[in-house]
Coordinates of all heavy atoms in Angstrom, one line a residue:
M12 N -8.3 -12.5 -3.9 CA -9.3 -11.5 -4.2 C -10.0 -11.0 -3.0 O -10.3 -11.8 -2.1 CB -10.3 -12.1 -5.2 CG -11.4 -11.2 -5.6 SD -12.3 -11.9 -7.0 CE -13.9 -11.7 -6.4
Q13 N -10.1 -9.7 -2.8 CA -10.8 -9.1 -1.7 C -12.3 -9.4 -1.7 O -12.9 -9.2 -2.8 CB -10.5 -7.6 -1.6 CG -11.0 -6.9 -0.4 CD -10.5 -5.5 -0.3 OE1 -9.6 -5.1 -1.0 NE2 -11.2 -4.7 0.5
K14 N -12.8 -9.7 -0.6 CA -14.3 -10.1 -0.5 C -15.1 -8.8 -0.2 O -16.3 -8.8 -0.6 CB -14.5 -11.2 0.5 CG -15.9 -11.7 0.5 CD -15.9 -12.9 1.5 CE -17.3 -13.5 1.6 NZ -17.4 -14.6 2.5
H15 N -14.6 -7.9 0.5 CA -15.4 -6.7 0.9 C -14.8 -5.4 0.4 O -13.6 -5.4 0.1 CB -15.4 -6.7 2.4 CG -16.0 -7.9 3.0 ND1 -17.4 -8.2 3.0 CD2 -15.5 -9.0 3.7 CE1 -17.6 -9.3 3.5 NE2 -16.5 -9.8 4.0
C16 N -15.6 -4.4 0.3 CA -15.1 -3.1 -0.2 C -14.2 -2.4 0.8 O -14.4 -2.6 2.0 CB -16.3 -2.2 -0.5 SG -17.3 -2.7 -1.9
N17 N -13.4 -1.5 0.3 CA -12.6 -0.6 1.1 C -13.6 0.5 1.6 O -14.6 0.8 0.9 CB -11.5 0.0 0.3 CG -10.4 -1.0 -0.1 OD1 -10.0 -1.9 0.7 ND2 -10.0 -1.0 -1.3
Y18 N -13.3 1.0 2.7 CA -14.2 1.9 3.4 C -13.5 3.3 3.6 O -12.4 3.3 4.2 CB -14.7 1.3 4.7 CG -15.7 2.2 5.5 CD1 -17.0 2.2 5.1 CD2 -15.2 2.9 6.6 CE1 -17.9 3.0 5.8 CE2 -16.1 3.7 7.3 CZ -17.5 3.7 6.9 OH -18.3 4.5 7.6
Y19 N -14.2 4.4 3.3 CA -13.7 5.7 3.5 C -14.7 6.6 4.1 O -15.9 6.3 3.9 CB -13.3 6.3 2.1 CG -12.0 5.8 1.5 CD1 -12.1 4.6 0.7 CD2 -10.8 6.4 1.7 CE1 -10.9 4.1 0.2 CE2 -9.6 5.8 1.1 CZ -9.7 4.7 0.4 OH -8.6 4.2 -0.2
Q20 N -14.3 7.6 4.7 CA -15.2 8.7 5.2 C -14.6 10.0 4.8 O -13.4 10.2 4.8 CB -15.4 8.6 6.7 CG -16.2 7.5 7.2 CD -16.5 7.6 8.7 OE1 -16.1 8.5 9.4 NE2 -17.2 6.6 9.2
A21 N -15.4 11.0 4.5 CA -15.0 12.4 4.2 C -16.2 13.3 4.5 O -17.3 12.9 4.5 CB -14.5 12.5 2.8
R22 N -15.8 14.5 4.6 CA -16.9 15.6 4.7 C -17.0 16.3 3.4 O -16.0 16.6 2.7 CB -16.5 16.6 5.8 CG -16.5 16.0 7.2 CD -16.4 17.0 8.3 NE -16.2 16.4 9.6 CZ -17.0 15.7 10.3 NH1 -18.2 15.4 9.8 NH2 -16.7 15.1 11.4
I23 N -18.2 16.5 2.9 CA -18.5 17.2 1.7 C -19.1 18.5 2.1 O -20.1 18.6 2.8 CB -19.4 16.4 0.8 CG1 -18.9 15.0 0.5 CG2 -19.7 17.2 -0.5 CD1 -19.8 14.1 -0.4
A24 N -18.5 19.6 1.5 CA -19.1 20.9 1.8 C -20.5 21.0 1.3 O -20.8 20.6 0.1 CB -18.2 22.0 1.1
R25 N -21.4 21.5 2.1 CA -22.8 21.5 1.7 C -23.1 22.0 0.3 O -23.9 21.3 -0.4 CB -23.6 22.2 2.7 CG -25.1 22.2 2.5 CD -25.9 22.8 3.6 NE -25.8 22.0 4.9 CZ -26.6 21.1 5.2 NH1 -27.6 20.7 4.5 NH2 -26.5 20.5 6.4
P26 N -22.6 23.1 -0.1 CA -22.9 23.6 -1.5 C -22.4 22.7 -2.6 O -23.0 22.7 -3.7 CB -22.2 25.0 -1.6 CG -21.9 25.4 -0.2 CD -21.7 24.1 0.6
Q27 N -21.5 21.9 -2.3 CA -20.9 21.0 -3.4 C -21.5 19.5 -3.3 O -21.1 18.7 -4.1 CB -19.4 20.9 -3.3 CG -18.7 22.1 -3.9 CD -18.7 23.3 -2.9 OE1 -18.7 23.2 -1.7 NE2 -18.8 24.5 -3.5
T28 N -22.3 19.3 -2.3 CA -22.8 17.9 -2.1 C -23.4 17.3 -3.4 O -23.0 16.2 -3.8 CB -23.8 17.8 -1.0 OG1 -23.2 18.3 0.2 CG2 -24.3 16.4 -0.7
L29 N -24.3 18.0 -4.0 CA -25.0 17.4 -5.1 C -24.0 17.2 -6.3 O -24.1 16.1 -6.9 CB -26.2 18.3 -5.6 CG -27.0 17.9 -6.8 CD1 -27.6 16.5 -6.5 CD2 -28.0 18.9 -7.1
G30 N -23.1 18.1 -6.5 CA -22.2 18.0 -7.6 C -21.2 16.8 -7.4 O -21.0 16.0 -8.3
V31 N -20.7 16.7 -6.2 CA -19.7 15.6 -5.9 C -20.4 14.2 -6.0 O -19.9 13.3 -6.7 CB -19.1 15.7 -4.4 CG1 -18.4 14.5 -4.0 CG2 -18.2 16.9 -4.4
V32 N -21.6 14.1 -5.4 CA -22.3 12.8 -5.4 C -22.7 12.5 -6.9 O -22.6 11.3 -7.3 CB -23.6 12.9 -4.5 CG1 -24.5 11.7 -4.7 CG2 -23.1 12.9 -3.0
S33 N -23.1 13.5 -7.6 CA -23.5 13.2 -9.0 C -22.3 12.7 -9.8 O -22.5 11.8 -10.7 CB -24.1 14.5 -9.7 OG -25.3 14.9 -9.0
I34 N -21.2 13.3 -9.6 CA -20.0 12.9 -10.4 C -19.6 11.5 -10.0 O -19.3 10.7 -10.9 CB -18.8 13.9 -10.2 CG1 -19.1 15.2 -10.9 CG2 -17.5 13.3 -10.7 CD1 -18.2 16.4 -10.5
L35 N -19.6 11.2 -8.7 CA -19.3 9.8 -8.3 C -20.3 8.8 -8.9 O -19.9 7.7 -9.3 CB -19.3 9.7 -6.8 CG -18.2 10.5 -6.0 CD1 -18.4 10.4 -4.5 CD2 -16.8 10.0 -6.4
K36 N -21.5 9.1 -9.0 CA -22.6 8.2 -9.5 C -22.4 8.1 -11.0 O -22.9 7.1 -11.6 CB -24.0 8.7 -9.1 CG -24.2 8.4 -7.6 CD -25.7 8.7 -7.3 CE -26.0 8.5 -5.8 NZ -25.4 7.4 -5.1
S37 N -21.8 9.0 -11.7 CA -21.7 8.9 -13.1 C -20.7 7.9 -13.6 O -20.7 7.5 -14.7 CB -21.3 10.3 -13.7 OG -19.9 10.6 -13.4
F38 N -19.9 7.4 -12.6 CA -18.9 6.3 -12.9 C -19.5 5.0 -12.5 O -19.8 4.8 -11.3 CB -17.6 6.5 -12.2 CG -16.8 7.7 -12.7 CD1 -17.0 8.9 -12.2 CD2 -15.8 7.5 -13.7 CE1 -16.3 10.0 -12.7 CE2 -15.1 8.5 -14.2 CZ -15.3 9.8 -13.7
D39 N -19.7 4.0 -13.4 CA -20.3 2.8 -13.0 C -19.5 2.0 -12.0 O -18.3 1.9 -12.2 CB -20.5 1.9 -14.3 CG -21.6 2.3 -15.2 OD1 -22.5 3.0 -14.8 OD2 -21.5 2.0 -16.4
H40 N -20.1 1.6 -11.0 CA -19.5 0.7 -9.9 C -18.3 1.4 -9.2 O -17.4 0.6 -8.7 CB -19.2 -0.6 -10.5 CG -20.3 -1.2 -11.3 ND1 -21.4 -1.6 -10.7 CD2 -20.4 -1.5 -12.6 CE1 -22.2 -2.1 -11.7 NE2 -21.6 -2.1 -12.8
L41 N -18.2 2.7 -9.2 CA -17.0 3.3 -8.6 C -17.1 3.2 -7.1 O -16.2 2.8 -6.4 CB -17.0 4.8 -9.0 CG -15.8 5.6 -8.3 CD1 -14.5 5.1 -8.8 CD2 -15.9 7.1 -8.7
C42 N -18.3 3.5 -6.5 CA -18.4 3.5 -5.1 C -19.9 3.6 -4.7 O -20.7 4.0 -5.6 CB -17.7 4.6 -4.4 SG -18.3 6.2 -4.6
F43 N -20.2 3.2 -3.5 CA -21.5 3.4 -2.9 C -21.3 4.5 -1.9 O -20.5 4.3 -1.0 CB -22.1 2.1 -2.3 CG -23.3 2.3 -1.5 CD1 -24.6 2.5 -2.2 CD2 -23.3 2.4 -0.1 CE1 -25.7 2.8 -1.5 CE2 -24.5 2.6 0.6 CZ -25.7 2.8 -0.1
D44 N -22.0 5.6 -2.0 CA -21.9 6.6 -1.0 C -23.2 6.8 -0.2 O -24.2 6.5 -0.6 CB -21.5 8.0 -1.6 CG -22.6 8.4 -2.6 OD1 -23.6 9.0 -2.2 OD2 -22.4 8.2 -3.8
R45 N -23.0 7.3 1.1 CA -24.1 7.4 2.0 C -23.8 8.5 3.0 O -22.7 8.6 3.4 CB -24.4 6.1 2.7 CG -25.7 6.0 3.3 CD -25.9 4.6 3.7 NE -25.3 4.4 5.0 CZ -25.9 3.8 6.1 NH1 -27.1 3.3 6.0 NH2 -25.3 3.7 7.2
T46 N -24.8 9.3 3.3 CA -24.6 10.3 4.4 C -24.7 9.6 5.7 O -25.6 8.9 6.0 CB -25.8 11.3 4.3 OG1 -25.9 11.8 3.0 CG2 -25.5 12.5 5.3
L47 N -23.6 9.9 6.5 CA -23.6 9.5 7.9 C -24.2 10.5 8.9 O -24.8 10.2 9.8 CB -22.2 9.1 8.3 CG -21.7 7.7 8.0 CD1 -20.3 7.5 8.5 CD2 -22.6 6.7 8.6
D48 N -23.8 11.8 8.6 CA -24.3 12.9 9.5 C -24.5 14.1 8.6 O -23.6 14.8 8.2 CB -23.3 13.2 10.5 CG -23.7 14.2 11.5 OD1 -24.8 14.9 11.3 OD2 -23.0 14.4 12.6
A49 N -25.8 14.4 8.2 CA -26.1 15.5 7.4 C -25.7 16.8 7.9 O -25.3 17.8 7.2 CB -27.6 15.5 7.0
S50 N -25.8 17.0 9.3 CA -25.5 18.3 9.9 C -24.0 18.7 9.7 O -23.7 19.9 9.7 CB -25.9 18.3 11.3 OG -25.1 17.4 12.1
T51 N -23.1 17.7 9.6 CA -21.7 18.0 9.4 C -21.2 17.6 8.1 O -20.0 17.8 7.8 CB -20.8 17.2 10.5 OG1 -21.0 15.8 10.2 CG2 -21.3 17.5 11.9
G52 N -22.1 17.1 7.2 CA -21.6 16.7 5.8 C -20.8 15.5 5.8 O -20.0 15.3 4.8
L53 N -20.9 14.6 6.8 CA -20.0 13.4 6.8 C -20.7 12.3 6.0 O -21.8 12.0 6.2 CB -19.9 12.9 8.3 CG -19.0 11.7 8.5 CD1 -17.6 12.0 8.0 CD2 -19.0 11.2 9.9
F54 N -19.9 11.8 5.0 CA -20.3 10.8 4.1 C -19.4 9.6 4.3 O -18.3 9.7 4.7 CB -20.2 11.2 2.7 CG -21.3 12.0 2.2 CD1 -21.5 13.3 2.6 CD2 -22.2 11.5 1.3 CE1 -22.6 14.1 2.2 CE2 -23.3 12.2 0.8 CZ -23.5 13.5 1.3
E55 N -19.9 8.4 3.9 CA -19.1 7.2 3.9 C -19.2 6.7 2.5 O -20.1 6.9 1.7 CB -19.6 6.1 4.9 CG -21.0 5.6 4.6 CD -21.5 4.6 5.7 OE1 -20.7 4.2 6.5 OE2 -22.7 4.2 5.6
F56 N -18.1 6.0 2.1 CA -17.9 5.5 0.8 C -17.4 4.0 0.8 O -16.4 3.8 1.5 CB -16.9 6.3 0.0 CG -17.2 7.8 0.0 CD1 -16.6 8.6 1.0 CD2 -18.0 8.3 -1.0 CE1 -16.9 10.0 1.0 CE2 -18.3 9.7 -1.0 CZ -17.7 10.5 0.0
F57 N -18.1 3.2 0.1 CA -17.7 1.8 0.0 C -17.2 1.6 -1.4 O -17.9 1.8 -2.4 CB -18.9 0.8 0.3 CG -19.4 0.9 1.6 CD1 -20.4 1.8 2.0 CD2 -19.0 0.1 2.7 CE1 -20.9 1.9 3.3 CE2 -19.5 0.1 4.0 CZ -20.4 1.1 4.3
V58 N -15.9 1.3 -1.5 CA -15.2 1.3 -2.8 C -14.6 -0.1 -3.1 O -13.8 -0.6 -2.3 CB -14.0 2.3 -2.7 CG1 -13.3 2.4 -4.0 CG2 -14.5 3.7 -2.2
P59 N -15.0 -0.7 -4.2 CA -14.4 -1.9 -4.6 C -12.9 -1.8 -4.8 O -12.4 -0.7 -5.3 CB -15.1 -2.3 -5.9 CG -16.3 -1.5 -5.9 CD -16.0 -0.3 -5.1
E60 N -12.1 -2.7 -4.5 CA -10.6 -2.6 -4.6 C -10.2 -2.2 -6.0 O -9.3 -1.4 -6.2 CB -10.0 -4.0 -4.2 CG -8.5 -3.9 -4.2 CD -7.9 -5.2 -3.7 OE1 -8.6 -6.3 -3.7 OE2 -6.7 -5.2 -3.3
S61 N -10.9 -2.8 -7.0 CA -10.5 -2.5 -8.4 C -10.8 -1.0 -8.8 O -10.1 -0.5 -9.7 CB -11.2 -3.4 -9.4 OG -12.6 -3.2 -9.3
Q62 N -11.6 -0.3 -8.1 CA -12.0 1.0 -8.4 C -11.2 2.0 -7.5 O -11.4 3.2 -7.7 CB -13.5 1.2 -8.2 CG -14.3 0.4 -9.2 CD -14.2 0.9 -10.6 OE1 -13.6 1.9 -10.9 NE2 -14.6 0.1 -11.5
E63 N -10.5 1.5 -6.5 CA -9.8 2.4 -5.6 C -8.9 3.5 -6.2 O -8.9 4.7 -5.8 CB -9.1 1.6 -4.5 CG -8.6 2.5 -3.3 CD -8.1 1.6 -2.2 OE1 -7.5 0.6 -2.5 OE2 -8.2 2.1 -1.1
P64 N -8.1 3.1 -7.2 CA -7.2 4.1 -7.8 C -8.0 5.3 -8.4 O -7.6 6.5 -8.2 CB -6.4 3.4 -8.9 CG -6.4 2.0 -8.4 CD -7.7 1.8 -7.7
L65 N -9.0 5.0 -9.2 CA -9.8 6.1 -9.8 C -10.6 6.9 -8.7 O -10.6 8.1 -8.7 CB -10.9 5.5 -10.7 CG -11.8 6.5 -11.4 CD1 -11.1 7.6 -12.1 CD2 -12.8 5.8 -12.3
F66 N -11.1 6.2 -7.7 CA -11.8 6.9 -6.6 C -10.8 7.9 -5.9 O -11.2 9.0 -5.7 CB -12.3 5.9 -5.5 CG -12.9 6.4 -4.3 CD1 -14.1 7.0 -4.3 CD2 -12.1 6.5 -3.1 CE1 -14.7 7.5 -3.1 CE2 -12.6 7.0 -2.0 CZ -13.9 7.5 -2.0
L67 N -9.6 7.4 -5.6 CA -8.7 8.3 -4.9 C -8.2 9.5 -5.8 O -8.0 10.6 -5.3 CB -7.4 7.5 -4.5 CG -7.7 6.5 -3.3 CD1 -6.5 5.6 -3.0 CD2 -8.2 7.2 -2.1
K68 N -8.1 9.2 -7.1 CA -7.8 10.3 -8.0 C -8.9 11.4 -8.0 O -8.6 12.6 -7.9 CB -7.6 9.8 -9.4 CG -7.1 10.8 -10.4 CD -6.8 10.1 -11.7 CE -6.2 11.1 -12.7 NZ -5.8 10.5 -14.0
L69 N -10.1 11.0 -8.1 CA -11.3 11.9 -8.0 C -11.3 12.6 -6.7 O -11.5 13.9 -6.6 CB -12.6 11.2 -8.2 CG -12.9 10.8 -9.7 CD1 -14.1 9.9 -9.7 CD2 -13.2 12.1 -10.5
M70 N -11.1 11.9 -5.6 CA -11.2 12.5 -4.3 C -10.0 13.5 -4.1 O -10.2 14.6 -3.5 CB -11.1 11.5 -3.2 CG -12.4 10.6 -3.2 SD -13.9 11.5 -3.2 CE -14.6 11.1 -1.7
A71 N -8.9 13.3 -4.6 CA -7.7 14.2 -4.6 C -8.1 15.5 -5.3 O -7.8 16.6 -4.8 CB -6.5 13.6 -5.2
Y72 N -8.8 15.4 -6.4 CA -9.2 16.5 -7.2 C -10.3 17.3 -6.3 O -10.2 18.5 -6.2 CB -9.9 16.1 -8.5 CG -10.6 17.3 -9.2 CD1 -9.8 18.2 -9.9 CD2 -11.9 17.4 -9.1 CE1 -10.4 19.3 -10.5 CE2 -12.6 18.5 -9.8 CZ -11.8 19.4 -10.5 OH -12.4 20.5 -11.1
F73 N -11.2 16.6 -5.7 CA -12.3 17.3 -4.9 C -11.6 18.0 -3.7 O -12.1 19.1 -3.3 CB -13.3 16.3 -4.4 CG -14.2 15.7 -5.5 CD1 -14.6 14.4 -5.5 CD2 -14.7 16.5 -6.6 CE1 -15.4 13.9 -6.5 CE2 -15.5 16.0 -7.5 CZ -15.9 14.7 -7.5
E74 N -10.6 17.4 -3.1 CA -9.9 18.0 -2.0 C -9.2 19.3 -2.4 O -9.3 20.3 -1.8 CB -8.9 17.0 -1.3 CG -9.6 16.1 -0.4 CD -8.6 15.2 0.4 OE1 -7.7 14.6 -0.2 OE2 -8.7 15.2 1.6
K75 N -8.6 19.2 -3.6 CA -7.8 20.4 -4.1 C -8.8 21.5 -4.4 O -8.4 22.7 -4.1 CB -7.1 20.0 -5.4 CG -6.3 21.1 -6.0 CD -5.6 20.6 -7.3 CE -5.1 21.7 -8.1 NZ -4.7 21.3 -9.4
E76 N -10.0 21.2 -4.9 CA -11.0 22.2 -5.2 C -11.7 22.7 -4.0 O -12.5 23.6 -4.1 CB -12.0 21.6 -6.2 CG -11.3 21.4 -7.6 CD -10.8 22.6 -8.2 OE1 -11.5 23.6 -8.3 OE2 -9.6 22.6 -8.7
G77 N -11.5 22.0 -2.8 CA -12.2 22.4 -1.6 C -13.6 21.9 -1.4 O -14.4 22.3 -0.6
S78 N -14.0 20.9 -2.3 CA -15.3 20.3 -2.2 C -15.4 19.3 -1.0 O -16.5 19.1 -0.5 CB -15.7 19.6 -3.5 OG -15.7 20.6 -4.5
I79 N -14.3 18.6 -0.8 CA -14.3 17.6 0.3 C -13.2 17.9 1.2 O -12.2 18.6 0.9 CB -14.3 16.1 -0.2 CG1 -12.9 15.8 -0.7 CG2 -15.4 15.8 -1.2 CD1 -12.6 14.3 -0.8
S80 N -13.2 17.3 2.4 CA -12.1 17.4 3.4 C -12.1 16.2 4.3 O -13.1 15.5 4.4 CB -12.3 18.7 4.3 OG -13.5 18.6 5.0
G81 N -10.9 15.9 4.8 CA -10.8 14.9 5.8 C -11.0 13.5 5.3 O -11.4 12.6 6.1
L82 N -10.6 13.2 4.0 CA -10.8 11.8 3.5 C -9.9 10.9 4.3 O -8.7 11.1 4.5 CB -10.4 11.8 2.0 CG -10.5 10.4 1.4 CD1 -12.0 10.0 1.3 CD2 -9.8 10.4 0.0
Q83 N -10.5 9.8 4.8 CA -9.8 8.8 5.6 C -10.3 7.4 5.2 O -11.4 7.2 5.1 CB -10.2 8.9 7.1 CG -9.8 10.2 7.8 CD -10.2 10.1 9.2 OE1 -10.2 9.1 9.9 NE2 -10.7 11.2 9.8
K84 N -9.3 6.5 5.0 CA -9.5 5.1 4.9 C -9.6 4.5 6.2 O -8.8 4.7 7.1 CB -8.4 4.5 4.0 CG -8.8 3.0 3.7 CD -7.7 2.4 2.8 CE -8.1 1.0 2.3 NZ -7.2 0.5 1.3
M85 N -10.7 3.8 6.5 CA -11.0 3.2 7.8 C -11.4 1.8 7.7 O -11.7 1.3 6.6 CB -12.1 4.0 8.5 CG -11.8 5.5 8.5 SD -13.2 6.5 9.1 CE -13.3 6.1 10.8
P86 N -11.4 1.1 8.8 CA -11.9 -0.3 8.7 C -13.4 -0.2 8.3 O -14.1 0.7 8.8 CB -11.7 -0.8 10.2 CG -10.7 0.1 10.8 CD -10.8 1.4 10.1
N87 N -13.8 -1.2 7.5 CA -15.2 -1.2 7.1 C -16.1 -1.4 8.3 O -16.0 -2.4 9.0 CB -15.4 -2.4 6.1 CG -16.7 -2.4 5.4 OD1 -17.7 -2.1 6.0 ND2 -16.7 -2.7 4.2
R88 N -16.9 -0.4 8.6 CA -17.7 -0.4 9.8 C -18.8 -1.5 9.8 O -19.2 -2.0 10.8 CB -18.4 0.9 10.0 CG -19.5 1.3 9.1 CD -20.2 2.6 9.5 NE -21.3 2.8 8.6 CZ -22.5 2.3 8.8 NH1 -22.7 1.5 9.8 NH2 -23.5 2.6 7.9
L89 N -19.2 -2.0 8.6 CA -20.1 -3.1 8.6 C -19.5 -4.4 9.0 O -20.1 -5.2 9.7 CB -20.7 -3.3 7.2 CG -21.5 -2.1 6.7 CD1 -22.1 -2.3 5.3 CD2 -22.7 -1.8 7.6
L90 N -18.2 -4.6 8.7 CA -17.5 -5.7 9.2 C -17.2 -5.7 10.7 O -17.3 -6.7 11.4 CB -16.2 -5.9 8.5 CG -16.3 -6.1 7.0 CD1 -14.9 -6.2 6.3 CD2 -17.1 -7.4 6.7
Q91 N -17.0 -4.4 11.2 CA -16.8 -4.2 12.6 C -18.0 -4.5 13.4 O -17.9 -4.9 14.6 CB -16.3 -2.8 12.9 CG -15.0 -2.4 12.1 CD -13.8 -3.0 12.7 OE1 -13.6 -3.1 13.9 NE2 -13.0 -3.5 11.8
S92 N -19.2 -4.2 12.9 CA -20.4 -4.4 13.6 C -20.9 -5.8 13.7 O -21.9 -6.1 14.4 CB -21.5 -3.5 13.0 OG -21.9 -4.0 11.8
G93 N -20.2 -6.7 12.9 CA -20.7 -8.1 12.9 C -21.9 -8.4 12.0 O -22.5 -9.4 12.2
A94 N -22.2 -7.4 11.1 CA -23.3 -7.6 10.2 C -23.0 -8.8 9.3 O -21.9 -9.1 9.0 CB -23.4 -6.4 9.3
T95 N -24.1 -9.5 9.0 CA -24.0 -10.7 8.2 C -24.5 -10.3 6.8 O -25.4 -9.5 6.6 CB -24.8 -11.9 8.7 OG1 -26.1 -11.5 8.8 CG2 -24.2 -12.3 10.0
F96 N -23.9 -11.0 5.8 CA -24.2 -10.6 4.4 C -24.8 -11.9 3.7 O -24.4 -12.9 3.9 CB -23.0 -10.2 3.6 CG -22.4 -8.9 4.2 CD1 -21.3 -9.0 5.1 CD2 -22.9 -7.7 3.9 CE1 -20.8 -7.9 5.7 CE2 -22.3 -6.6 4.5 CZ -21.2 -6.7 5.3

């Protein structure tokens, strides 16, 4: 069993930010999202392993619609920083 969430980053087009974030929040425990850089629309997403398939399906839809771009799975930055939990 994985102990930490998978980590993603993507840019959300400013006009679609509220809609994308609202849809993600409407799914219980799908992900935790946070703005990393408001000026460029860069967001980060912490996704439990069990929710990753649904998260990726939604993100593929958002990419197709042009609401998000540049979705990347990356090493969890909190683990990289040495943060303790």
Side-chain angles (χ1 to χ4, degrees):
M12 183 167 129
Q13 185 174 341
K14 189 175 179 179
H15 302 286
C16 290
N17 294 314
Y18 180 78
Y19 287 85
Q20 287 186 3
R22 296 195 190 288
I23 302 178
R25 185 173 293 268
Q27 283 79 31
T28 301
L29 183 58
V31 169
V32 170
S33 296
I34 290 169
L35 292 174
K36 289 190 184 314
S37 73
F38 291 88
D39 287 338
H40 312 294
L41 177 64
C42 68
F43 172 76
D44 60 82
R45 196 168 83 130
T46 307
L47 276 180
D48 184 350
S50 67
T51 64
L53 183 62
F54 277 72
E55 64 182 351
F56 307 92
F57 296 88
V58 184
E60 184 175 18
S61 63
Q62 297 293 348
E63 192 173 32
L65 177 57
F66 173 80
L67 291 174
K68 187 174 183 177
L69 283 168
M70 295 309 246
Y72 172 79
F73 292 141
E74 280 187 308
K75 180 181 170 192
E76 295 297 312
S78 298
I79 72 159
S80 62
L82 180 67
Q83 295 181 38
K84 185 173 186 176
M85 304 170 75
N87 188 322
R88 71 175 185 81
L89 296 179
L90 297 176
Q91 302 290 316
S92 70
T95 58
F96 301 95

